[in-house]
Amino acid sequence: MLSAMIAVVGRPNVGKSSLVNALVGQKVSIVSHKPQTTRHQIQGVVHDPRGQLVFVDTPGIHGDGKRELNRMMNEAAYSAFEGVDVVLFVVDANRWTDEDQQVLSRLKGLQTPVGLVMNKIDRMDDKARLLPTLQRLQALHDFAFIVPVSALRRVQLDALENELFSRAVEGPAFYPEDMVVGHDQRFALAELIREKVVRNLHQEMPYATAVGIERWEVEGRLDRVHAVIWVEREGQKGIVIGDKGQQLRKIGEAARREWERTTDRKLFLQLWCKVKENWSDDLRALGQFGLRPGGD
């Protein structure tokens, strides 16, 4: 059996999580248009007659390292380079930035094969730009392969999988056949709730919110869950809760509907919003929220 562990890296908002979700065939990582949505190394598994591909979706690597949360996310992304068979460097085919260059500079010394994935080719107004863009990026590094794709439209994903399986090695599977995500249900639900916070509040809130599962009880096919959305200031708490609790109910309802649809289980979700000042710059708080190595 062939298997490969693949780190998916790149700056924020190039579509890493969308790519992993498309390859796996279901949501593994939360997705939004806000940068730095993914904070953890999240694993998704592709099962194929040829074998198994395990994708490690990483936080977007960015230059702003002023807060402990920013530094922690960069550390998580860079640590994913270790012990993998292939590194996928994902870029936006329509835009190259200083942050892309920063990621590339960290990849240059790797012995691990690095493949370049040019995502969002469906957004190219002029398709004649594709070849010159490919040639320009090809000159930047000795990439093992380059594949232009659209994760959104599922264009060229088969070609990408073929490239990856060509670099897989013989060995046992990493995960059983019925497992497509490498994290537990508590983590998955906390991330789902955080996604609904990000999506519902758009520009009203910074990305510095965290979700903690306080209690989880199972009653047959019903999950009873108490969860807390953590923010950094009282003003943010008011935004999350909304007028007469309307926003908090909307977030909880969206999370509940998606959870029930994807798990085929009923969910009773009780949400609170609490303040922990400057948690994104507090190592102890980051550990409590499971946002750094050694965190609970």
Side-chain angles (χ1 to χ4, degrees), residues 3-232:
S3 61
M5 185 76 73
I6 301 134
V8 183
V9 302
R11 66 169 169 85
N13 271 2
V14 293
K16 298 182 301 297
S17 296
S18 296
L19 177 64
V20 171
N21 290 345
L23 288 164
V24 172
Q26 72 176 63
K27 181 183 286 188
V28 173
S29 301
I30 66 176
V31 178
S32 86
H33 295 300
K34 281 195 174 183
Q36 303 168 31
T37 300
T38 301
R39 293 177 180 162
H40 305 259
Q41 293 181 8
I42 299 173
Q43 293 181 337
V45 188
V46 169
H47 300 277
D48 184 274
R50 292 167 289 184
Q52 190 177 91
L53 301 174
V54 179
F55 294 92
V56 183
D57 185 16
T58 64
I61 298 170
H62 54 284
D64 179 10
K66 294 178 182 178
R67 293 184 147 197
E68 287 298 334
L69 177 62
N70 301 115
R71 289 190 282 271
M72 176 277 302
M73 289 163 66
N74 279 349
E75 264 182 44
Y78 289 134
S79 68
F81 298 173
E82 302 170 7
V84 297
D85 300 294
V86 180
V87 174
L88 281 188
F89 177 28
V90 183
V91 300
D92 184 334
N94 302 279
R95 185 167 171 252
W96 179 269
T97 71
D98 290 342
E99 287 184 325
D100 292 305
Q101 190 64 47
Q102 177 187 340
V103 179
L104 181 61
S105 68
R106 293 296 294 260
L107 297 174
K108 283 186 176 295
L110 290 182
Q111 299 301 311
T112 307
V114 177
L116 180 68
V117 177
M118 296 168 52
N119 193 21
K120 305 185 183 181
I121 59 172
D122 56 303
R123 296 188 182 179
M124 280 188 160
D125 296 330
D126 181 5
K127 301 304 180 186
R129 290 176 44 230
L130 181 58
L131 183 58
T133 302
L134 190 153
Q135 292 171 333
R136 177 172 55 81
L137 295 177
Q138 193 171 31
L140 296 176
H141 183 71
D142 184 19
F143 293 109
F145 57 87
I146 300 179
V147 182
V149 307
S150 167
L152 181 64
R153 305 295 181 192
R154 302 189 60 83
V155 175
Q156 286 272 92
L157 296 189
D158 287 347
L160 178 56
E161 285 191 2
N162 289 340
E163 288 284 0
L164 294 171
F165 271 114
S166 73
R167 288 161 179 82
V169 296
E170 288 286 347
F174 293 103
Y175 291 102
E177 289 186 9
D178 59 347
M179 191 170 186
V180 295
V181 294
H183 48 260
D184 62 19
Q185 286 193 315
R186 293 174 73 94
F187 176 87
L189 181 55
E191 284 289 275
L192 179 60
I193 295 167
R194 189 165 66 86
E195 178 190 67
K196 303 313 176 189
V197 173
V198 173
R199 287 194 169 188
N200 278 278
L201 298 177
H202 302 293
Q203 302 303 319
E204 299 173 72
M205 283 285 291
Y207 67 87
T209 57
V211 176
I213 303 297
E214 302 282 294
R215 193 169 74 199
W216 191 310
E217 298 172 352
V218 177
E219 299 175 4
R221 293 180 56 78
L222 172 68
D223 296 316
R224 291 187 178 272
V225 179
H226 291 203
V228 175
I229 300 169
W230 292 94
V231 296
E232 296 191 296

